[in-house]
Amino acid sequence: MDDITLGVIGLGIRSDLVELAHRPGEGSTVAAVCDLDPRLLASARERFGPQVRTAQDHRELLDAGLDGVFVLTPDHTHERIGLDFLAAGVPVFLDKPLAITTGGCDRLLAAAHKHRTPLYVGHNMRHMPVVVAIRRLIEQGAIGQVKAVWCRHFVGHGGDFYFKDWHADRRNTTGLLLQKGAHDIDVIHWLAGGSTRRVNALGGLTVYGDITSHRDRSGERMTEWLSTENWPPLSLTGLNPVVDVEDLSMMQMQLDNGVLASYQQCHYTPDYWRNYTVIGTEGRLENFGDSEGAEVRVWNRRSDYRAEPDVTVRVHTPAGTHGGADPVLVAEFLRFVREGGSTVTSPVAAREAVAAGYAATTSLRDGGRPVDIAPVDPELAAYFAGGQR
């Protein structure tokens, strides 16, 4: 089997993902990379071999004969870069979120359809073992018909992860309810079997807005300042020069199939994990932990408070980042490039996650008023549902 040749746009932290795809002689090889930082470009040959082509402008690689490209750049650049490669006929892996506006997502979907270029979105949580276990229980009827989904996301490292670099500036993300929340909103939709059509939200910059220590970290990577010793939250220093995204957000969703859902996100909790609760007509399930040692517990009998569930599913986490999800994600994209067909991730679902997060951010910045969300164009939805043939 000949190697497919891959490009990488963006050599930051998330580019570790592509090292899973660089297997010269085993099916795929990284042939070209692009980044604005010359220091990261200088390290590319050590990572991917002396043959790798380097560029500081992604447009230099549009005609490089690539079989696929990973776009792993800051969120606000996804749309422009994705549109260029889709128009050039190069299959695209776009890391989540698909874009930072609903309109941006729709333009990307339309471009993939127009040019018949495969588009894949990196919603790796659809491959996370704890999420897979929850979905399997739902499909098996463990709690009957789903009626409600709640998610609480405790972003314990939020100050380091999202308030010391470009994430803190809404021009780059719209807001963290979209940027960080796109993962969980997609999972909520997947577990509920529907998409949000109406949303309202409240939130604010409740802690990190009080910190006056700022620093330009251009050229630095998050691993250089991340520390579990950065605690309590108000002791943090060196925040991004612009901090205008919310650190506490709560949204409520009405889905097109009647399911009601809620999502809460806090960036200054002492712990870092997410908790899903799914309520159905015949029971309730909930995850405790979301990595190695996690459990999904199911309650099916009437009672007063009862800590002991009726069913406990222990979740094994295989090797690999994001609970073993990233190796599966990359393998799915490579198979998609070679063969096409359906995938567990979905560009339309990725759009719906952004649309919900975008509408929720609009709502919370306008006093919590309800915001309606238009569905994807039916022709586009049918095209992607058909496997992008």
Side-chain angles (χ1 to χ4, degrees), residues 254-284:
Q254 184 178 56
L255 277 58
D256 51 14
N257 60 357
V259 173
L260 298 179
S262 66
Y263 172 61
Q264 297 88 41
Q265 178 190 97
C266 182
H267 285 266
Y268 47 85
T269 56
D271 48 348
Y272 192 5
W273 66 296
R274 47 175 53 84
N275 168 259
Y276 295 106
T277 298
V278 186
I279 302 172
T281 55
E282 299 176 20
R284 174 176 71 86

Side-chain angles (χ1 to χ4, degrees), residues 35-50:
D35 199 283
L36 295 174
D37 189 338
R39 293 174 299 173
L40 294 178
L41 286 180
S43 68
R45 289 187 172 87
E46 297 179 11
R47 297 176 65 184
F48 304 114

Side-chain angles (χ1 to χ4, degrees), residues 10-29:
L11 292 173
I13 291 174
R14 193 63 177 136
S15 68
D16 291 350
L17 187 74
V18 188
E19 294 182 0
L20 299 169
H22 184 55
R23 297 290 183 267
E26 299 178 21
S28 56
T29 184

Side-chain angles (χ1 to χ4, degrees), residues 36-264:
L36 295 174
D37 189 338
R39 293 174 299 173
L40 294 178
L41 286 180
S43 68
R45 289 187 172 87
E46 297 179 11
R47 297 176 65 184
F48 304 114
Q51 83 295 332
V52 71
R53 177 176 171 179
T54 61
Q56 287 187 292
D57 188 327
H58 73 275
R59 291 170 294 186
E60 296 177 36
L61 304 181
L62 295 175
D63 60 355
L66 299 172
D67 296 311
V69 63
F70 285 82
V71 179
L72 308 173
T73 53
D75 299 357
H76 65 289
T77 67
H78 287 184
E79 181 183 350
R80 180 68 269 157
I81 296 172
L83 290 174
D84 286 345
F85 278 102
L86 290 170
V90 181
V92 176
F93 176 112
L94 264 178
D95 201 15
K96 75 86 202 168
L98 180 57
I100 65 169
T101 65
T102 308
C105 292
D106 288 341
R107 286 185 286 273
L108 285 162
L109 296 182
H113 177 246
K114 175 183 177 180
H115 300 292
R116 294 301 194 270
T117 304
L119 172 62
Y120 183 95
V121 186
H123 273 284
N124 56 4
M125 282 191 63
R126 289 195 176 207
H127 295 294
M128 281 184 67
V130 70
V131 173
V132 173
I134 293 172
R135 181 171 165 84
R136 185 177 296 119
L137 285 165
I138 292 171
E139 291 176 330
Q140 292 170 349
I143 58 170
Q145 184 181 359
V146 173
K147 292 296 183 181
V149 184
W150 305 336
C151 177
R152 298 179 299 162
H153 194 177
F154 311 107
V155 193
H157 302 327
D160 286 320
F161 279 5
Y162 301 105
F163 287 86
K164 292 188 176 182
D165 65 5
W166 57 269
H167 295 84
D169 188 334
R170 66 176 63 176
R171 293 172 297 180
N172 301 327
T173 61
T174 292
L176 297 178
L177 196 50
L178 186 162
Q179 199 286 331
K180 181 64 173 169
H183 268 319
D184 289 303
I185 297 170
D186 179 59
V187 170
I188 288 171
H189 287 169
W190 199 40
L191 298 179
S195 298
T196 301
R197 296 278 74 93
R198 170 169 279 202
V199 64
N200 74 312
L202 295 173
L205 183 57
T206 59
V207 168
Y208 297 120
D210 295 331
I211 295 175
T212 58
S213 171
H214 297 272
R215 174 178 173 179
D216 181 359
R217 295 184 179 274
S218 301
E220 293 185 42
R221 303 180 73 178
M222 181 264 291
T223 50
E224 295 175 315
W225 64 74
L226 173 64
S227 171
T228 55
E229 300 304 313
N230 292 338
W231 183 263
L234 284 172
S235 70
L236 265 64
T237 60
L239 269 60
N240 193 60
V242 176
V243 177
D244 61 1
V245 295
E246 294 77 16
D247 53 21
L248 178 65
S249 304
M250 308 174 186
M251 63 185 283
Q252 299 184 103
M253 296 162 269
Q254 184 178 56
L255 277 58
D256 51 14
N257 60 357
V259 173
L260 298 179
S262 66
Y263 172 61
Q264 297 88 41

